Amino acid sequence: MPAVPDTGDEAHSLRWWLGAFLFLLTPGLLLGGAARAQPPGNAAVERLPLEAFASLPAVETMALAPGGGRLALLGNPDGRPVLFIRDPGADAFRPLLVNDSDRFHINWLHWASDEWLLVSARYPARRHATDVVETRLVAVDAVSGRIRQVVRLDDRPDGTPPPQFQDEVVDFLPDDPRHVLMALALDGEAWPSVYRVDILSGSRRLEQRARPGFYGWLTDQQHRVRIGLQRRDATHAVYLRPPQGGDWQLAWRFEAFGDDSAVPLGFGRDPDELYVAAYHKGFQAVFRVDLSKPGLPRTLVLSRPHRDVGGGLIYSPASGEAVGVVAGDGSIEVWDAGYRPFLQGLEQTFNDRRVWLISMSRDERRYLALTESDRDAGTYYYGDRDAATLVPIGQRYPLLPEAALSGRKRVAYEARDGTEIEGFLTLPRSAGQAPLPAVVFPHGGPAAMADDGFDYWAEFLASRGYAVLQMNFRGSVGYGVDFLSAGLGNWGRVMQDDVDDGTAWLIRRGIADPRRICIVGASYGGYAALMGVARADSPYRCAVSFAGVTDLADLVRDARDFSNSDSVKRLVGDDMRDLRARSPVNLAERIEVPVLLVQGTDDRRVDINQGRSMYHALQAAGAEVRYVEQDGGDHFLSREAHRLQLFREMEAFLERHLHPDDPG
């Protein structure tokens, strides 16, 4: 068994330092005051360069300090993550730290206080011959850039591996900015305990000892550990402890993907008030559970007709009360009467786009908001309620002006069995007369969804002259439990039918030229792309798969090393013969069109051997295939060089096989 590398001092190996020179090389990407980046010259009417779409976002994320005067911004000037700070009263951001390692990627930022910022990072590693992702947490001094590792493990027993995940904050303890509650599996434990950790000294105190199968913990608004989440096989259990402490009691159980699921979202200010996401008339809704009464009765708080609602709770920083929820499709729903006018005012200000409230100051007078639409690639605003001002301070993709984007149209079509499938159609701005060359673009997941927001893949493809269709096939989230569960064990079956039926709809409507259609996808979408060209009478002229699953049997076997193995079996299936029959790697001889495969060597969602095996199978079958292996590439195209490489390969491949400017 290979030794697990000693990763106890990753804060030092992150090697951050001052990087002002990077900021000076890229003026205009990051904004201060009320200025907005403008496209050069007539970029709104000319074809935009590939880099405008495929570069990493100029602004990755932002966070507002509790006092409301200091802002943190994670950006990517020159394709490398840089942490910027805007100090109280300043007009512009100053660069603080730059990550010089392609190995580490930032997960999130959170202000512990006005002086200290918590930064979570991830990186690929191996444990017991298994490829995994590790996470670490550091605290950064917002003035000097000095860093401290939050979890310090110099005192662990010899030979005991450090915990894989070291950034799982259970409670940020806003009234105690020196400490956080963290879930950590120390000293070889299989499951995490909860510790109160000093973010500066690294000292810790046990708050809740690990329990068998308990993978997650929740605290109430008084910062007591009250909920334990257990998983055994595909069965989840929710355990509850009284506010005054005592024994853990089973509250309820449910099966993964089942209609009886009830997932805790968080507590209200009342310690006996718990919010959960559960199904109501077949669609996910938000309920309030009264923990003080026998039977734990539920009251419906929020639901939508024919759409799921459940998501993350929105809390008031001032009161600690739950006021609403960010739904799975990104929309905000608020039930608190005091908050509703403020959020409605934001929505009216940006009436044609979605608005997220990113963070608020502790007194709720200053805030960060993010807007997005199918033509707004993401704009951050800083608001001051006392001064009645709301100014733009950063754009995610400043080289993509709204005037140059195509936007997308919500569509619907009938699948072959009569089920309605919702989709989104993006047409080129400079489209010639239909029918057009087209790209069918199923989403990844598959328990995910396409929505009406900005999509840099779809916009890039449309900018190159292709009509782009995305669809929410069965197995997608957002459409109720029956629609979701219809995808269980149906990879390559009804889910694939829904994709192909969307292609047939494009042709019937005269939108797509039947001789010039390619199917493109990533992750599960890459699987769907390969299955689409392996089917009899395939309508596709070519296929592009990035990080696509190609061997379902191997996917299920690899999951045995992880605690969610049984959930994977339920999602995909567990009959090995059937899995092999639904695996593109075993259907290579049926594929008669060109294929582009792109795969990263450090992908921890879809193993590199999935791509390699597919390449070799296509070669053996005599198919036309191009295989691109991205050294150090992950599942999320976290490095700008890999994102640019993929888009260049895809652009050339589609041009070669679809000839968008040559209908003949």
Side-chain angles (χ1 to χ4, degrees):
M1 179 182 296
V4 176
D6 182 356
T7 51
D9 62 345
E10 282 77 10
H12 301 292
S13 61
L14 282 173
R15 294 180 57 81
W16 297 80
W17 61 68
L18 290 173
F21 68 95
L22 284 179
F23 179 75
L24 296 175
L25 288 174
T26 53
L29 288 183
L30 304 173
L31 311 176
R36 294 189 69 173
Q38 296 296 329
N42 59 347
V45 295
E46 293 183 353
R47 173 161 138 157
L48 294 175
L50 178 148
E51 290 78 9
F53 299 92
S55 296
L56 290 173
V59 180
E60 195 80 47
T61 188
M62 298 183 73
L64 180 66
R70 182 167 278 148
L71 291 166
L73 184 156
L74 180 65
N76 294 290
D78 200 33
R80 174 146 302 183
V82 178
L83 180 63
F84 295 86
I85 299 293
R86 194 175 87 172
D87 296 310
D91 292 328
F93 289 89
R94 61 180 172 87
L96 184 68
L97 304 167
V98 58
N99 177 15
D100 78 321
S101 172
D102 285 334
R103 186 178 178 221
F104 294 91
H105 305 287
I106 305 304
N107 291 319
W108 50 261
L109 310 174
H110 181 88
W111 287 97
S113 66
D114 286 341
E115 292 76 34
W116 287 94
L117 183 69
L118 295 175
V119 180
S120 161
R122 70 181 188 275
Y123 64 96
R126 285 178 67 82
R127 284 181 178 253
H128 311 299
T130 299
D131 290 335
V132 298
V133 172
E134 305 265 341
T135 63
R136 299 296 182 263
L137 186 65
V138 297
V140 182
D141 186 323
V143 175
S144 68
R146 183 167 48 109
I147 66 172
R148 295 177 183 268
Q149 183 165 333
V150 173
V151 180
R152 302 183 188 180
L153 299 169
D154 295 337
D155 58 345
R156 68 183 186 271
D158 290 341
T160 302
Q164 178 183 348
F165 302 112
Q166 297 182 28
D167 70 336
E168 295 188 355
V169 177
V170 177
D171 194 326
F172 285 104
L173 302 176
D175 296 323
D176 180 12
R178 181 72 181 259
H179 296 89
V180 292
L181 295 184
M182 297 189 68
L184 293 166
L186 297 177
D187 302 333
E189 293 178 324
W191 304 101
S193 299
V194 179
Y195 296 87
R196 181 180 295 266
V197 181
D198 187 315
I199 65 171
L200 300 186
S201 72
S203 64
R204 56 185 178 271
R205 185 183 75 203
L206 181 67
E207 296 283 329
Q208 169 60 51
R209 190 169 299 282
R211 293 173 62 88
F214 279 49
Y215 64 90
W217 304 95
L218 285 178
T219 58
D220 59 21
Q221 292 303 297
Q222 290 71 40
H223 314 296
R224 298 167 296 200
V225 182
R226 296 282 310 285
I227 293 287
L229 305 175
Q230 184 190 63
R231 180 174 57 230
R232 284 181 173 165
D233 299 329
T235 301
H236 295 253
V238 177
Y239 282 82
L240 172 68
R241 187 165 63 178
Q244 64 274 18
D247 294 335
W248 289 93
Q249 301 293 328
L250 176 66
W252 60 80
R253 286 192 177 95
F254 59 89
E255 296 298 312
F257 308 108
D259 60 3
D260 61 342
S261 67
V263 180
L265 301 176
F267 283 83
R269 188 66 183 170
D270 183 336
D272 285 321
E273 190 176 80
L274 176 69
Y275 291 89
V276 301
Y279 285 104
H280 173 67
K281 297 181 179 179
F283 294 89
Q284 199 171 67
V286 178
F287 290 83
R288 187 184 297 113
V289 182
D290 189 338
L291 303 179
S292 68
K293 294 182 179 178
L296 306 177
R298 301 175 188 174
T299 302
L300 181 65
V301 176
L302 186 65
S303 65
R304 289 178 183 165
H306 312 301
R307 283 291 187 275
D308 293 336
V309 172
L313 288 180
I314 302 170
Y315 282 94
S316 162
S319 69
E321 188 58 88
V323 298
V325 67
V326 180
D329 63 358
S331 60
I332 291 178
E333 301 279 359
V334 174
W335 54 73
D336 184 274
Y339 257 72
R340 195 174 295 120
F342 168 57
L343 290 176
Q344 286 177 340
L346 278 179
E347 291 171 351
Q348 290 169 5
T349 300
F350 304 103
N351 60 7
D352 61 340
R353 51 195 87 189
R354 187 174 294 163
V355 183
W356 288 279
L357 192 60
I358 300 298
S359 54
M360 299 187 78
S361 61
R362 193 72 185 272
D363 62 7
E364 301 185 354
R365 304 314 298 169
R366 283 166 286 186
Y367 60 94
L368 272 177
L370 171 65
T371 66
E372 184 193 275
S373 72
D374 57 346
R375 287 187 173 89
D376 177 0
T379 305
Y380 286 89
Y381 290 83
Y382 178 70
D384 187 321
R385 299 171 76 179
D386 294 326
T389 57
L390 182 61
V391 295
I393 55 172
Q395 292 176 289
R396 299 191 73 234
Y397 292 91
L399 299 180
L400 294 179
E402 293 183 35
L405 298 181
S406 297
R408 33 209 327 218
K409 175 184 178 184
R410 191 185 299 264
V411 299
Y413 59 88
E414 276 195 4
R416 62 193 66 184
D417 64 358
T419 300
E420 182 176 276
I421 304 297
E422 185 175 61
F424 298 89
L425 180 65
T426 306
L427 295 176
R429 287 179 54 82
S430 57
Q433 187 170 354
L436 300 168
V439 169
V440 174
F441 183 29
H443 63 70
M449 67 184 302
D451 61 28
D452 58 358
F454 172 76
D455 187 301
Y456 73 98
W457 284 62
E459 282 292 343
F460 170 69
L461 292 167
S463 77
R464 271 40 186 173
Y466 306 107
V468 183
L469 178 66
Q470 299 165 271
M471 69 286 292
N472 288 324
F473 42 80
R474 270 166 279 198
S476 302
V477 299
Y479 300 90
V481 65
D482 291 341
F483 197 87
L484 174 65
S485 60
L488 299 179
N490 266 321
W491 289 35
R493 295 188 179 119
V494 68
M495 300 166 75
Q496 198 69 39
D497 292 343
D498 290 347
V499 173
D500 291 350
D501 292 344
T503 306
W505 174 85
L506 273 179
I507 296 170
R508 286 197 310 272
R509 293 292 299 267
I511 298 169
D513 181 345
R515 301 167 300 168
R516 296 189 293 162
I517 304 175
C518 189
I519 184 167
V520 175
S523 193
Y524 173 83
Y527 167 85
L530 294 171
M531 286 298 290
V533 293
R535 285 185 144 193
D537 301 321
S538 169
Y540 308 110
R541 176 69 183 84
C542 56
V544 178
S545 171
F546 169 74
V549 177
T550 69
D551 190 329
L552 297 185
D554 266 4
L555 182 72
V556 171
R557 278 193 294 265
D558 289 346
R560 290 180 299 192
D561 294 327
F562 300 93
S563 61
N564 66 340
S565 174
D566 287 277
S567 296
V568 172
K569 289 180 182 177
R570 186 163 185 197
L571 179 66
V572 182
D574 59 1
D575 182 316
M576 287 296 168
R577 178 178 296 181
D578 178 56
L579 291 173
R580 286 191 288 269
R582 292 186 284 126
S583 296
V585 72
N586 299 319
L587 304 173
E589 72 282 354
R590 300 184 188 177
I591 297 177
E592 300 177 347
V593 299
V595 173
L596 171 64
L597 300 173
V598 183
Q599 183 83 26
T601 61
D602 286 348
D603 191 328
R604 294 301 188 253
R605 294 289 181 90
V606 177
D607 187 80
I608 183 64
N609 289 320
Q610 296 264 339
R612 290 172 177 170
S613 297
M614 190 71 210
Y615 172 55
H616 295 314
L618 288 169
Q619 274 193 318
E624 182 181 343
V625 56
R626 175 165 173 76
Y627 177 61
V628 178
E629 195 163 282
Q630 298 184 323
D631 185 32
D634 65 10
H635 198 69
F636 310 104
L637 293 169
S638 299
R639 296 188 192 177
E640 183 165 282
H642 292 150
R643 189 177 292 199
L644 292 168
Q645 180 188 35
L646 170 64
F647 274 50
R648 290 188 186 111
E649 291 282 350
M650 187 164 56
E651 179 179 45
F653 181 82
L654 295 175
E655 172 69 25
R656 184 162 59 251
H657 298 295
L658 296 188
H659 308 292
D661 297 323
D662 180 15

